[in-house]
Amino acid sequence: MKVKMLSRNPDNYVRETKLDLQRVPRNYDPALHPFEPREYVRALNATKLERVFAKPFLASLDGHRDGVNCLAKHPKSLATVLSGACDGEVRIWNLTKRKCIRTIQAHEGFVRGICTRFCGTSFFTVGDDKTVKQWKMDGPSYGEDEEPLHTILGKTVYTGIDHHWKEAIFATCGQQVDIWDEQRTNPICSMTWGFDSISSVKFNPIETFLLGSCASDRNIVLYDMRQATPLKKVILDMRTNTIGWNPMEAFIFTAANEDYNLYTFDMRALDTPIMVHMDHVSAVLDVDYSPTGKEFVSASFDKSIRIFPVDKSRSREVYHTKRMQHVICVKWTSDSKYIMCGSDEMNIRLWKANASEKLGVLTSREKAATDYNQRLKEKFQHHPHIKRISRHRHLPKSIYSQIQEQRIMKEARRRKELNRIKHSKPGSVRIVSEKKKHIVAVVK
Amino acid sequence: MSASQAAKSLLALSQQEELEDLPKDYSLSTSEDEGDSDGERKHQKLLEAISSLDGKNRQKLTERSEASLKVSEFNVSSEGSGEKLVLSDLLEPIKTSSSVAAVKKQLNRVKSKKTVELPLHREEIERIHREVAFNKTSQVLSKWDPIVLKNRQAEQLVFPLSKPQSAFAPIEHMLSGWKARTPLEQEIFNLLHKNKQPVTDPLLTPVEKASLKAMSLEEAKMRRAELQRARALQSYYEARARREKKIKSKKYHKVLKKGKAKQALKEFEKLRKVNPAAALEELEKLEKARMMERMSLKHQNSGKWAKSKAIMAKYDLEARQAMQEQLARNKELTQKIQRASESEEEEGGAKEEGEPLVPDVVNEVQVKVNGPNPWMFRNHSSDAREAEVQEGPEEGAEPAGHEASESEEEGPGAEEDMLLKEFEERRSLRQKSGLNGPVGSPETKDSSSQEVLSELRALAQRLNKENRRSGRQEVSAARKGTVLQVQREEPAEEEEEPLLLQRPERAQTLDELEELGREGCLQNEELPRAAVEGQQLETNPNNHLGATPKEKKRKEQMIDLQNLLTTKSPSVKSLAVPTTVEELEDEEERDQRQMIKEAFAGDDVIRDFLKEKREAVEASKPKDVDLTLPGWGEWGGVGLKPSAKKRRRFLIKTPEGPPRKDKNLPNVIISEQRNIHAAAHQVRVLPYPFTHHQQFERTIQTPIGSTWNTQRAFQKLTMPKVVTKPGHIIKPIKAEDVGYRSSSRSDLSVVQRNPKRLSIRHKKQLKQNSVH
């Protein structure tokens, strides 16, 4: 009698070498494995975990004796940050130690602007005392006094400063936009358009001869340094506080406006902003792009900072703490991992750019897991439960009630607009899109 | 009008021109001509006059008129400020004079020339410039369009975009920039400088270099060579010392010690001849050592180790040797050095003393160990063994040929031989290459092989003896061969076992596989038929036997419904039709109805609906679960079906759900498929980038996890969109990064090219501002 036995071919399950991966027999038939529900549950869990681990606040750097008015990044060192306060004090911080490493009494009155030289050897400050000062980045050596390298005495107050990205040129703004050679005491070029004071000037990081400025008379003016002429001016509903250039897209910049919104423009077509970013409930005071050019962070008078994707009109994240007052300046670090903000109550705060990200070195398995979770969240982002969980943020009462209030106002306005259209002759009432609504004029 | 035309022409002009040329024409337009003031004034007046002709210049120039001009009767007056004096009018009276002809001609020429247009307003000009500059800048910027688009659509962006080039700077460069500032630093710096410590790794230190400089060239060369040699030697000795230090063999160290002792003895002899006093001291030392040795029992055979070795000595050659050595050492240490002749006697005595403790075997071998150096002896023996081993297989082949059973063992046996040979060769090689014999090779080998080896060794020794004693080599060889084989058998058997275990198994499996394959084919051929039949059988009986009564019932129901329909519908119609009907109309209606009936002869809507509803009801009913396994616990096969009892037992009846909502509504189907609980998790509106719900569903259905995908696919699917390296600074994108040529001119140089013009302009602007 023949006895049949179960037999397997070892070739099917034995590895050829030790280094080969273990072969796991698996049936890939989708009918046997309904993927959808399982992945959905995974996505749901991933979203929940993300919210559980969202602890963005890292540190608070205190030491200033007045509100922090301006911040600057070091171009070569990630750990170094410079800050200027309203009492004319400039401090240099070490982020890894979370300590102040140097203090300079730079100006009398406010430090209005601070910027570092592209090489990181020195930095410039402008203050209310009508001076531009250049300082060495390293502290004074043994036996030396803390003195600026150069001091330029101006006739008017300078309200902002920015350094060229490649050359020894910097630009200041006040009554006009001045372009300075570092070696000279007079500006090599001055540009004006209109007579109101200019609050901020920024060099384009890619096409470095371009500048953008914003003035108190509600306009944003673009300049060409090489042709020594302004290019175009756009007038908005309300005053723009500052602008930020996209470091990856030469012609894109974002303007932080007093009307609670941010406007992203293509500088070639200023009549319509590409995107209106609205979530703040008070004036937006500062904006800074992530070095990847995909997102930017904005600081607002409503005591919060928000992170917006460039192509989305709503913010993806809002950071606030109980003690943080009006946020005046904000910076995104050059490794795109952290955000710093300086606020009224004399502190500089360090946040994670990605609230739930694990810091430090990840193992390959951890990395794969995070990537997978991220992808799952993206895939199922439209599902109601997941959307609700991922969007949920706790907000301070003031902001929350403000949002409610503004929602009501907006709804009322919309209703009125609809009624007006309904009750007037068709075609007589022009429908203006949200993007165009805030642009008053474009001046050539 | 003219202004806009001018602007257009300017635009066209400037677009052709270079960037740098712009200022030039600008300056042209604004420049102030400085010429003869008189002619200038005249020309100005002329221009004014001409321009006032077209009446455009509404702004009246208030001329200053003196009273005398108006009033005086002796002078020619212009008669009112409104009238204008024309040059030609002045010339008219002097027609006759020929000298005026030239002036007239000139005047005509002036008349024929076109007037120069008014320079544009400053703001207008600035506007034009701005527009030009803006167009130019937008053109420059538009080169970034494809890159921006690419980056936006990219599946993955890795930052920083450009890899930082790792720069190597020699340490001198790094140090050159550094200066000692604090006193402490200076002190340390001075100290370092005084010593002239080389910063890097140069061939010669500064001191050596200085000395080299002091010498002549040849001398220097010699010196250098010497130095190099010394260094080489040093390194060689160092390497050797290191190597020797690593050797673990106890025997080697023993031999080394012995050699040293001998050396010391020789030196002592020498010393005795040269310096008796020093020798005496040495002697005293030796004497003391001897006394100590005699006092102690260190090298006697009374120790624990020695006793254990004594027991082992019967069986173990090494133990025996160890004992021998220990005894020899004792002898050596205890013997008196002065009297050489007596020491031999004492040696014999010591042997006699040691005999009772030491077993016979030890003494046997001792004769041989007595030789010059046991180390050397061992070498000899191994050589001898090698020779034997080489002879082995040749001789071993003969008996293998006789016995059939042994032929199987030949393979493994030969392998063993080869292994042994290899081992011996390696050992001998090591002995030859190093100054220092085997490095604990026997210890590394496993115990079984060691045993074999020791036995082999003993055998070889015995053989050697015999060879020396008698010339009968063949017999001994034969004997040895057999012994060798006997020895070989053990490992061979051991090896065979796994082989036996494995080989047939494999063979079996392979055979079976083949068989299985064949059978499988057969079975496969058989299976379909049987299975299909079986299935048919399984299904058929159910259908035939189980379902027939039910179907009948159902048919009856259907018939009933149909009856109802057919009976009801006319009655409804008849109700719908008004009772008072004229016959004519009735006829017409009947015709119409007939026509409609004929037109829609085929489709019975009501019946279709009822059928649909019935199907829906059926579909929504929970199904019973049948868990019967045919052939399980009873006979199975074609034509057999599981018993009714069994079917009853394994049929799980699902509880009836709640009544349908459309139970009492004959004309309605209410779908109850929507699950409220699931709906909370479902997407209600098609999300933005998708254009069709199927598209969205498909993306949701395709899994991305590693559970359902291969590793590679998983990695590809979960690739993050933006990758940044922690701790790396991401710089703004550059033209060089994306393959564009960045402008060679620096912005600074362009700005500084026309600083004067700018400053002048700036001053002007400021002046005007202040005026306003």
Side-chain angles (χ1 to χ4, degrees):
Chain A
M1 185 190 154
K2 191 166 190 179
V3 178
K4 283 185 193 168
M5 289 171 70
L6 288 175
S7 77
R8 286 199 291 168
N9 187 0
D11 293 343
N12 288 337
Y13 58 90
V14 175
R15 293 184 290 181
E16 277 181 5
T17 66
K18 235 181 183 180
L19 299 171
D20 285 350
L21 290 172
Q22 284 285 14
R23 205 169 200 170
V24 184
R26 204 181 277 156
N27 195 339
Y28 290 107
D29 184 7
L32 293 174
H33 307 274
F35 324 118
E36 200 182 333
R38 286 206 231 175
E39 287 223 313
Y40 173 74
V41 172
R42 282 181 194 181
L44 196 63
N45 289 340
T47 318
K48 285 174 182 171
L49 280 181
E50 186 209 301
R51 291 328 304 157
V52 166
F53 289 118
K55 304 249 184 291
F57 182 69
L58 287 177
S60 168
L61 310 173
D62 58 337
H64 274 301
R65 274 161 279 174
D66 208 335
V68 182
N69 200 36
C70 46
L71 278 174
K73 294 182 273 190
H74 193 286
K76 301 275 169 173
S77 151
L78 277 172
T80 314
V81 180
L82 299 92
S83 66
C86 295
D87 58 352
E89 195 180 55
V90 169
R91 278 175 186 260
I92 303 177
W93 305 86
N94 189 329
L95 288 183
T96 45
K97 290 180 195 160
R98 292 165 189 184
K99 270 182 187 163
C100 175
I101 50 174
R102 201 173 150 210
T103 312
I104 310 164
Q105 187 59 42
H107 295 279
E108 289 164 26
F110 280 45
V111 180
R112 285 289 173 189
I114 189 168
C115 69
T116 49
R117 203 168 185 274
F118 57 90
C119 59
T121 52
S122 62
F123 64 93
F124 296 83
T125 56
V126 290
D128 271 354
D129 52 359
K130 300 180 187 174
T131 52
V132 181
K133 287 180 181 174
Q134 186 182 7
W135 306 83
K136 265 202 299 189
M137 190 64 83
D138 306 321
S141 52
Y142 184 76
E144 267 181 55
D145 288 337
E146 185 81 88
E147 272 181 352
L149 285 176
H150 302 291
T151 307
I152 300 167
L153 294 170
K155 280 167 196 145
T156 55
V157 175
Y158 299 107
T159 52
I161 188 168
D162 195 23
H163 201 280
H164 194 275
W165 286 82
K166 285 173 192 160
E167 278 148 37
I169 305 173
F170 64 92
T172 59
C173 62
Q175 286 201 343
Q176 73 267 342
V177 171
D178 289 327
I179 311 281
W180 305 74
D181 187 348
E182 278 180 13
Q183 307 301 320
R184 302 187 188 183
T185 52
N186 285 321
I188 48 173
C189 167
S190 289
M191 293 175 286
T192 48
W193 192 356
F195 304 107
D196 224 324
S197 69
I198 296 158
S199 59
S200 137
V201 65
K202 291 276 167 72
F203 271 103
N204 188 322
I206 306 168
E207 292 296 346
T208 47
F209 58 88
L210 283 172
L211 293 117
S213 78
C214 40
S216 312
D217 54 354
R218 305 178 301 163
N219 57 26
I220 302 168
V221 188
L222 301 171
Y223 302 92
D224 189 335
M225 192 180 79
R226 292 207 293 213
Q227 298 178 52
T229 166
L231 296 175
K232 224 168 204 183
K233 175 156 88 173
V234 60
I235 302 170
L236 297 170
D237 258 347
M238 286 176 89
R239 190 186 112 131
T240 301
N241 282 315
T242 187
I243 65 164
W245 290 96
N246 191 326
M248 289 294 148
E249 297 170 4
F251 40 78
I252 304 289
F253 69 89
T254 300
N257 205 290
E258 285 276 331
D259 65 354
Y260 314 169
N261 292 341
L262 292 118
Y263 301 95
T264 298
F265 284 98
D266 182 338
M267 70 157 278
R268 296 168 297 179
L270 289 171
D271 50 348
T272 321
I274 295 171
M275 192 58 73
V276 181
H277 309 274
M278 35 181 145
D279 254 349
H280 279 297
V281 289
S282 190
V284 190
L285 299 183
D286 200 6
V287 62
D288 192 37
Y289 261 92
S290 149
T292 57
K294 298 279 176 202
E295 289 173 326
F296 60 81
V297 61
S298 64
S300 170
F301 198 72
D302 63 7
K303 305 174 188 177
S304 69
I305 57 175
R306 282 182 185 268
I307 301 170
F308 291 89
V310 175
D311 53 351
K312 297 269 158 47
S313 75
R314 294 288 171 181
S315 63
R316 77 158 167 85
E317 197 71 71
V318 56
Y319 293 160
H320 57 85
T321 63
K322 219 170 194 178
R323 295 182 183 191
M324 190 160 73
Q325 293 303 310
H326 315 303
V327 193
I328 297 171
C329 46
V330 71
K331 282 272 181 270
W332 201 309
T333 56
S334 353
D335 61 347
S336 86
K337 296 268 184 214
Y338 306 99
I339 287 165
M340 293 165 302
C341 67
S343 46
D344 247 359
E345 88 310 327
M346 308 180 264
N347 278 332
I348 297 164
R349 290 193 166 76
L350 187 67
W351 308 83
K352 282 193 273 186
N354 216 338
S356 60
E357 194 180 35
K358 190 187 172 193
L359 295 180
V361 182
L362 296 180
T363 61
S364 56
R365 287 181 66 195
E366 273 179 312
K367 212 182 264 174
T370 45
D371 287 350
Y372 179 45
N373 283 348
Q374 188 58 41
R375 193 50 88 154
L376 279 180
K377 276 180 255 168
E378 263 168 47
K379 186 181 163 188
F380 290 96
Q381 62 184 337
H382 305 291
H383 287 66
H385 271 212
I386 287 172
K387 198 197 263 176
R388 187 183 59 78
I389 293 166
S390 68
R391 269 183 54 204
H392 179 79
R393 295 285 181 285
H394 172 256
L395 286 172
K397 199 178 176 187
S398 61
I399 297 177
Y400 185 76
S401 55
Q402 274 279 309
I403 288 173
Q404 299 301 330
E405 197 177 309
Q406 277 171 23
R407 187 177 295 154
I408 293 163
M409 283 160 69
K410 203 176 174 189
E411 180 55 29
R413 242 177 267 142
R414 197 186 67 87
R415 206 167 49 235
K416 187 168 187 180
E417 184 76 21
L418 284 178
N419 285 342
R420 184 173 287 149
I421 292 166
K422 210 192 286 172
H423 295 293
S424 53
K425 201 171 133 192
S428 62
V429 179
R430 272 182 58 226
I431 301 162
V432 187
S433 69
E434 182 65 33
K435 282 177 184 174
K436 289 216 173 185
K437 222 179 258 178
H438 307 279
I439 308 295
V440 174
V442 178
V443 186
K444 283 182 182 174
Chain B
M1 298 296 180
S2 61
S4 64
Q5 275 176 2
K8 269 179 196 169
S9 65
L10 238 168
L11 260 169
L13 198 75
S14 58
Q15 270 166 353
Q16 286 167 1
E17 279 171 358
E18 276 291 316
L19 179 71
E20 302 87 89
D21 292 347
L22 247 175
K24 229 181 269 172
D25 67 43
Y26 180 85
S27 63
L28 232 173
S29 61
T30 53
S31 67
E32 292 167 303
D33 292 2
E34 293 167 28
D36 189 13
S37 60
D38 212 6
E40 172 74 29
R41 206 179 303 135
K42 272 183 185 172
H43 185 67
Q44 198 73 31
K45 270 199 172 170
L46 175 70
L47 284 179
E48 276 169 18
I50 293 163
S51 57
S52 67
L53 277 176
D54 62 6
K56 223 188 171 186
N57 198 356
R58 270 167 234 151
Q59 208 175 356
K60 197 105 209 193
L61 286 169
T62 49
E63 281 179 13
R64 191 172 156 197
S65 49
E66 285 171 38
S68 63
L69 271 176
K70 270 188 181 173
V71 178
S72 169
E73 46 192 22
F74 307 104
N75 277 329
V76 185
S77 73
S78 63
E79 292 179 4
S81 57
E83 270 185 45
K84 277 180 182 170
L85 196 67
V86 186
L87 263 176
S88 51
D89 293 343
L90 289 176
L91 287 174
E92 256 172 32
I94 17 176
K95 266 178 190 170
T96 50
S97 65
S98 60
S99 60
V100 186
V103 180
K104 262 192 171 174
K105 262 185 191 174
Q106 270 185 351
L107 195 71
N108 284 334
R109 215 179 296 149
V110 167
K111 264 186 179 174
S112 67
K113 267 187 185 172
K114 270 193 174 176
T115 54
V116 179
E117 280 185 58
L118 246 182
L120 290 167
H121 194 258
R122 187 179 58 82
E123 280 174 7
E124 195 80 2
I125 289 163
E126 274 184 359
R127 199 178 67 84
I128 291 158
H129 276 292
R130 282 199 297 263
E131 231 166 296
V132 171
F134 180 78
N135 287 339
K136 198 162 274 177
T137 314
S138 333
Q139 265 183 6
V140 170
L141 285 174
S142 62
K143 81 172 178 191
W144 288 99
D145 273 333
I147 290 148
V148 167
L149 198 71
K150 201 186 87 191
N151 282 352
R152 277 181 190 167
Q153 289 171 344
E155 284 194 0
Q156 188 174 42
L157 281 175
V158 181
F159 294 104
L161 289 174
S162 59
K163 274 188 183 174
Q165 288 170 348
S166 52
F168 294 102
I171 201 157
E172 294 97 330
H173 287 215
M174 298 303 290
L175 284 178
S176 64
W178 188 77
K179 272 181 186 172
R181 282 176 294 187
T182 61
L184 177 70
E185 281 173 352
Q186 274 167 355
E187 213 171 292
I188 292 166
F189 215 60
N190 280 340
L191 271 174
L192 285 173
H193 265 289
K194 255 183 208 165
N195 283 0
K196 287 177 182 173
Q197 206 66 145
V199 181
T200 52
D201 192 22
L203 201 67
L204 297 169
T205 60
V207 182
E208 283 172 334
K209 270 181 188 168
S211 69
L212 267 182
K213 266 182 192 170
M215 284 183 272
S216 70
L217 184 67
E218 277 181 23
E219 239 180 308
K221 269 184 182 170
M222 275 176 65
R223 171 112 179 92
R224 199 175 67 170
E226 226 170 85
L227 273 171
Q228 277 177 345
R229 202 168 145 260
R231 266 181 204 161
L233 270 176
Q234 198 188 350
S235 68
Y236 167 69
Y237 278 118
E238 273 172 7
R240 192 187 158 187
R242 230 175 283 137
R243 203 172 59 233
E244 280 177 357
K245 204 183 165 192
K246 263 190 192 169
I247 294 168
K248 281 179 186 164
S249 165
K250 279 181 188 167
K251 195 156 201 177
Y252 164 74
H253 284 290
K254 271 180 209 163
V255 170
L256 203 70
K257 251 186 238 167
K258 212 174 261 180
K260 270 182 189 170
K262 261 183 192 166
Q263 192 72 26
L265 208 68
K266 265 183 195 171
E267 274 172 20
F268 173 73
E269 288 291 322
K270 260 186 208 169
L271 209 66
R272 203 166 59 169
K273 279 170 196 167
V274 181
N275 191 357
L280 216 66
E281 275 178 26
E282 286 284 298
L283 204 69
E284 265 173 29
K285 268 186 199 167
L286 278 175
E287 190 66 17
K288 207 176 178 184
R290 195 179 76 91
M291 277 155 73
M292 296 284 280
E293 174 63 23
R294 286 186 63 171
M295 254 151 63
S296 75
L297 293 170
K298 204 176 176 188
H299 292 101
Q300 304 294 348
N301 277 334
S302 54
K304 215 183 208 176
W305 174 83
K307 274 175 186 168
S308 71
K309 283 281 159 184
I311 294 163
M312 288 295 292
K314 230 181 224 175
Y315 315 105
D316 195 352
L317 184 70
E318 283 195 5
R320 232 174 290 154
Q321 278 175 345
M323 285 202 67
Q324 291 290 337
E325 270 164 39
Q326 207 204 9
L327 282 175
R329 176 127 182 89
N330 185 30
K331 221 186 300 161
E332 216 172 82
L333 283 169
T334 46
Q335 80 186 3
K336 277 196 175 179
I337 305 151
Q338 283 163 319
R339 291 167 289 167
S341 58
E342 274 183 33
S343 71
E344 280 178 22
E345 288 176 11
E346 272 192 5
E347 206 178 73
K351 230 189 278 172
E352 284 168 5
E353 279 169 13
E355 262 175 49
L357 279 168
V358 177
D360 295 356
V361 201
V362 180
N363 290 338
E364 253 185 50
V365 189
Q366 203 190 341
V367 183
K368 252 176 277 155
V369 176
N370 237 359
N373 190 348
W375 189 250
M376 296 305 287
F377 157 74
R378 204 178 166 184
N379 246 350
H380 284 306
S381 70
S382 70
D383 283 354
R385 223 179 303 134
E386 233 178 64
E388 283 163 19
V389 167
Q390 276 172 354
E391 284 168 11
E394 291 166 29
E395 292 158 354
E398 285 174 66
H402 295 304
E403 294 168 348
S405 61
E406 277 184 356
S407 64
E408 288 180 0
E409 297 162 17
E410 206 183 56
E415 268 181 45
E416 181 78 348
D417 265 6
M418 289 294 284
L419 270 174
L420 270 173
K421 225 188 278 175
E422 263 184 24
F423 172 66
E424 289 297 328
E425 273 172 10
R426 233 182 290 152
R427 247 170 54 122
S428 62
L429 261 175
R430 227 176 291 153
Q431 283 165 3
K432 280 169 205 166
S433 65
L435 313 164
N436 34 22
V439 192
S441 55
E443 280 92 331
T444 54
K445 286 283 165 186
D446 53 327
S447 59
S448 66
S449 68
Q450 222 168 347
E451 275 176 36
V452 172
L453 269 175
S454 62
E455 276 186 5
L456 265 173
R457 217 170 281 153
L459 209 80
Q461 284 163 8
R462 224 175 289 157
L463 272 171
N464 276 352
K465 268 189 216 168
E466 281 170 2
N467 284 350
R468 266 176 234 153
R469 284 172 195 167
S470 61
R472 297 175 295 168
Q473 286 186 350
E474 283 181 19
V475 179
S476 67
R479 225 178 83 194
K480 187 184 55 194
T482 53
V483 175
L484 267 170
Q485 269 188 346
V486 170
Q487 282 174 353
R488 257 181 261 140
E489 267 179 86
E490 287 176 71
E493 277 173 359
E494 280 171 9
E495 277 194 11
E496 254 179 81
E497 272 181 281
L499 274 175
L500 274 169
L501 280 173
Q502 282 179 5
R503 264 194 207 159
E505 196 184 36
R506 286 257 166 157
Q508 271 180 356
T509 50
L510 278 173
D511 286 353
E512 253 184 58
L513 271 174
E514 277 174 39
E515 281 183 13
L516 271 174
R518 255 175 268 147
E519 284 171 4
C521 287
L522 285 170
Q523 279 179 348
N524 280 346
E525 283 172 3
E526 289 167 11
L527 232 173
R529 244 180 284 149
V532 167
E533 281 170 8
Q535 280 169 4
Q536 281 175 347
L537 278 169
E538 279 165 26
T539 51
N540 283 341
N542 281 346
N543 289 345
H544 284 294
L545 301 165
T548 38
K550 280 181 191 170
E551 271 189 16
K552 269 179 190 174
K553 275 182 193 171
R554 217 177 275 163
K555 267 180 188 173
E556 282 171 9
Q557 275 183 348
M558 277 175 74
I559 289 161
D560 283 348
L561 281 167
Q562 270 180 343
N563 287 344
L564 267 171
L565 272 173
T566 43
T567 49
K568 256 190 184 177
S569 53
S571 69
V572 168
K573 275 174 193 171
S574 62
L575 275 170
V577 173
T579 46
T580 52
V581 194
E582 292 172 33
E583 282 193 359
L584 279 170
E585 282 183 356
D586 217 39
E587 274 181 16
E588 277 178 18
E589 270 191 15
R590 220 175 284 159
D591 284 346
Q592 263 192 336
R593 224 179 288 156
Q594 201 66 27
M595 274 175 69
I596 290 166
K597 242 185 194 175
E598 275 172 18
F600 299 97
D603 36 288
D604 190 346
V605 187
I606 296 164
R607 193 195 285 169
D608 284 351
F609 175 77
L610 282 173
K611 198 181 170 191
E612 205 176 306
K613 179 161 182 179
R614 204 165 46 239
E615 275 166 4
V617 169
E618 279 300 308
S620 69
K621 258 186 194 167
K623 306 270 182 308
D624 294 349
V625 184
D626 191 4
L627 292 175
T628 45
L629 288 171
W632 193 259
E634 61 191 0
W635 288 108
V638 182
L640 286 172
K641 62 174 177 59
S643 63
K645 185 186 164 194
K646 196 178 169 190
R647 260 186 289 137
R648 220 182 307 128
R649 200 186 152 196
F650 288 105
L651 191 77
I652 297 170
K653 278 195 177 177
T654 47
E656 234 171 76
R660 283 184 67 90
K661 280 174 189 167
D662 55 0
K663 194 182 165 193
N664 299 323
L665 303 167
N667 300 334
V668 181
I669 303 175
I670 297 174
S671 171
E672 287 174 353
Q673 282 191 337
R674 188 176 144 83
N675 186 351
I676 307 159
H677 302 293
H681 294 273
Q682 281 164 348
V683 182
R684 261 156 259 161
V685 189
L686 191 68
Y688 158 60
F690 301 100
T691 49
H692 199 263
H693 71 91
Q694 276 182 346
Q695 213 179 352
F696 178 64
E697 274 165 17
R698 221 164 286 153
T699 53
I700 291 296
Q701 273 165 6
T702 46
I704 52 172
S706 57
T707 323
W708 305 280
N709 288 300
T710 58
Q711 189 61 21
R712 187 66 57 79
F714 170 67
Q715 279 167 0
K716 215 173 184 183
L717 284 167
T718 58
M719 200 165 61
K721 270 187 180 162
V722 175
V723 178
T724 54
K725 268 188 183 175
H728 281 250
I729 290 173
I730 303 165
K731 294 228 165 114
I733 197 168
K734 278 185 218 150
E736 301 96 82
D737 289 349
V738 288
Y740 285 135
R741 197 167 50 81
S742 60
S743 61
S744 54
R745 289 176 309 180
S746 73
D747 296 343
L748 185 62
S749 65
V750 175
V751 176
Q752 283 177 341
R753 211 168 220 174
N754 302 302
K756 201 179 162 191
R757 180 188 66 80
L758 289 166
S759 61
I760 286 169
R761 190 174 158 225
H762 182 51
K763 273 176 205 161
K764 263 189 197 170
Q765 278 184 350
L766 285 179
K767 223 183 278 171
Q768 277 160 354
N769 287 348
S770 62
V771 167
H772 285 301

